[in-house]
Structure formats: C-alpha cells, structure tokens
Amino acid sequence: MPSRTSAKSAKAIKAAGKSAPSTRKGSGGKLPTKRNIPWLTIGAVVVIVGLIGGIAWYLVPKYHEKQELKNPSAYIDGIVKKDYEAGLHVAATQRVAYDQVPAFGGPHDSSWAACTGVVYDKAIRSENAVHSLEHGAVWITYNPDKVDAASIDTLKKKVDGQPYTLMSPYPGLDKPISLQAWGHQLKLDSATDSRVDQFIKDLRLNSNTYPEVGASCANPTFDTANPPAFDPSAPGPDAVPMNGKGASQDQSELGGGISPGTIPGLGGLGGLTEMPGGVPQIPVPTEGAEQPAQQPAPGQ
C-alpha cells in the first residue's frame, strides 16, 4: 500500500505538470520567439521610391523645358497674350474695332503689309499690319513723340532687311515702344531693353504661335512708299467687331499657310524658295533691287 509520503510526491508532480507551459499544438503556450524585420522588403521599397523621385526630378524640368521651347516668350516679363481666330478678312474700306492698341490679332485686311524687313516712315493701317502678324512677322511700333532719333535708329537696325519683320510709327501710343506678334504684345520704355531682341527671337516665325505657317511676307501689291493711311480716330458703329461679324472667313488660312500664288492681285510670285520646314525663305531686299516679276496664274 503506497505510503503517505509517496502520495504527496505524486500530487506535487501532477501540480507541477499543470503549471508548466503547454507544448501541445494549438495551446498557444509556445515560448516567444524573436520577430524578424523584413529589411529586404523595406530596402526594395526605398529603392523604388527613390527611383520614382529621381525620374520625376529628371522628367518634370524636361517637360517644362519642352513647353518653354514651344513658346519661350511666355517667360518674358510683361508680355501680354491673347487668343484670336484666324482667317477673318475685311475689305480695304472697312475698319475693325480692335480690342488692343496696337492690335495684335483678330479680323484683318485680306492684303498684308509687306514685312520683309520694311521700315515704314509713315504710320500704317492696322488691318494690314495684323495680317502680317498672322504670317509670323513681328511688328515694331513706336510713339514718335516719346522716342528720340537714336532710339529709332536702334530699332531700325533690328528690322531693316530682316525677313518677317516690319516697323512703323504709331501716333498716340501709350508707351514709347510696343512689339507685336500674333497673339502677343510687349510694351517697353527703352529701345535698348534686352526684351526687344528676346521678343523677336522667340516669336518671329515661331510655328507654335501663329496661324499661317509657311505664308509669305512679300507682297508686291502693297505700296511700301505710300501705304494705306493709319486712322487714329475711334472706329465707328459700322466697324467689324472682334468676333468677326461682317467679316468673311478665308478657309485657305485655316489650313496652316497659303501658297505664293494666292497673293492678292497676283497670279503668282517668283523669287521664293522653300526651306525644309515649309517656311518661305525670302531673299533679303537690297536698295534699288527690282520687284519680282509677275507670274501668270495657272491657266492664264
């Protein structure tokens, strides 16, 4: 018969077994183990995030640079930009109620002011000059009462004989100098302002900023010695509004340019060559040079 001592020992062993951590499956009594941190995964995530940031750092400036190349003039301080519908023509006897002075877009005369580096001594009709802008030219205007002879001479040197430019006085101009390109204007106080050259460089024949890419600036039917007169008075109630009501739509100007044979009053124009980009290369006019001979239109 078991002794009392052995019975007590058996009970002690049994109690110790109950208090010890269970090693049975599902009992949740396993001893805690050291948690492994997924350093490899964290490192991969860091590398990916870094790559994305690096790509963005590289591409975002490139995007802005590309946009700037399309129209770098947008970064010229003080420039004014507006959108205008192209190809709206008025008659030689009509006026346009322009929304800007000088005008730099909107309805215009079907005949453009010759803009092959012509320096006009007289103020010219805005409706003709605006058509020149539609061809990719830069029009420099100045107030003869606010600009001295030296400043006029400085501006002349930037225009005289330079394709796709023209210059003329503009009486009553609110600033000494104003530069115009299609949909763009910059008014300045000084002819030596560096923005004059920047405006010409960025906007003359910038195919992203004007409607009639490839159109000529030569127009032998436009009398450069005695151009259509500038009218300083306010347009009357019969003037064509900026929405073009009363103007005629020239569909040929909506397709990105015109051929030399469509010059008003001519069946064609000789002496022009085409550059790879499709923009006419106009021979620089020289003093005393004869105008290109008139060419017969097809079928004549």
Side-chain angles (χ1 to χ4, degrees):
M1 194 170 171
S3 64
R4 183 177 298 177
T5 303
S6 62
K8 287 182 179 180
S9 299
K11 287 181 179 180
I13 292 172
K14 187 175 181 180
K18 288 182 179 180
S19 62
S22 175
T23 58
R24 288 177 299 176
K25 186 176 180 180
S27 65
K30 289 185 178 180
L31 292 173
T33 57
K34 184 178 180 181
R35 184 176 181 181
N36 293 323
I37 300 175
W39 292 111
L40 186 62
T41 302
I42 294 174
V45 170
V46 171
V47 170
I48 292 172
V49 171
L51 286 173
I52 293 173
I55 293 171
W57 177 83
Y58 177 79
L59 291 180
V60 169
K62 291 293 182 183
Y63 171 78
H64 287 299
E65 181 180 345
K66 186 177 180 180
Q67 294 302 110
E68 183 176 346
L69 288 175
K70 286 184 178 181
N71 187 6
S73 68
Y75 300 88
I76 298 177
D77 185 37
I79 201 164
V80 175
K81 294 174 59 183
K82 292 199 71 174
D83 293 326
Y84 292 106
E85 185 178 354
L88 297 174
H89 286 178
V90 301
T93 56
Q94 289 180 292
R95 295 190 65 188
V96 177
Y98 286 116
D99 59 344
Q100 302 292 324
V101 178
F104 55 93
H108 49 270
D109 196 284
S110 60
S111 180
W112 58 91
C115 43
T116 53
V118 181
V119 177
Y120 293 90
D121 295 327
K122 303 175 182 178
I124 62 176
R125 183 168 169 258
S126 297
E127 287 79 2
N128 298 105
V130 170
H131 196 158
S132 302
L133 305 184
E134 193 182 48
H135 286 200
V138 168
W139 178 27
I140 296 181
T141 57
Y142 62 93
N143 187 330
D145 296 326
K146 295 183 178 182
V147 177
D148 59 22
S151 296
I152 293 174
D153 188 59
T154 297
L155 295 173
K156 280 184 178 180
K157 292 177 182 178
K158 301 178 186 299
V159 174
D160 191 19
Q162 297 300 315
Y164 290 88
T165 59
L166 68 161
M167 173 177 163
S168 67
Y170 198 99
L173 184 61
D174 59 341
K175 283 282 189 176
I177 299 165
S178 184
L179 312 178
Q180 285 73 226
W182 183 266
H184 298 74
Q185 184 177 72
L186 178 65
K187 293 186 176 182
L188 301 170
D189 293 317
S190 171
T192 59
D193 193 309
S194 61
R195 289 174 291 175
V196 175
D197 291 334
Q198 189 177 358
F199 187 96
I200 296 172
K201 177 179 68 69
D202 292 347
L203 287 168
R204 184 177 61 163
L205 289 178
N206 184 332
S207 59
N208 297 298
T209 61
Y210 70 98
E212 283 194 83
V213 177
S216 173
C217 242
N219 186 359
T221 65
F222 191 83
D223 189 349
T224 57
N226 189 28
F230 168 76
D231 190 345
S233 65
D238 58 341
V240 175
M242 290 302 293
N243 62 14
K245 185 178 180 180
S248 60
Q249 180 76 70
D250 188 337
Q251 296 297 325
S252 68
E253 294 188 3
L254 304 180
I258 62 173
S259 63
T262 59
I263 290 178
L266 284 185
L269 178 65
L272 298 181
T273 57
E274 292 288 328
M275 293 192 296
V279 177
Q281 181 179 1
I282 311 300
V284 178
T286 57
E287 185 177 355
E290 296 182 358
Q291 292 288 354
Q294 178 174 336
Q295 300 292 330
Q300 289 186 344

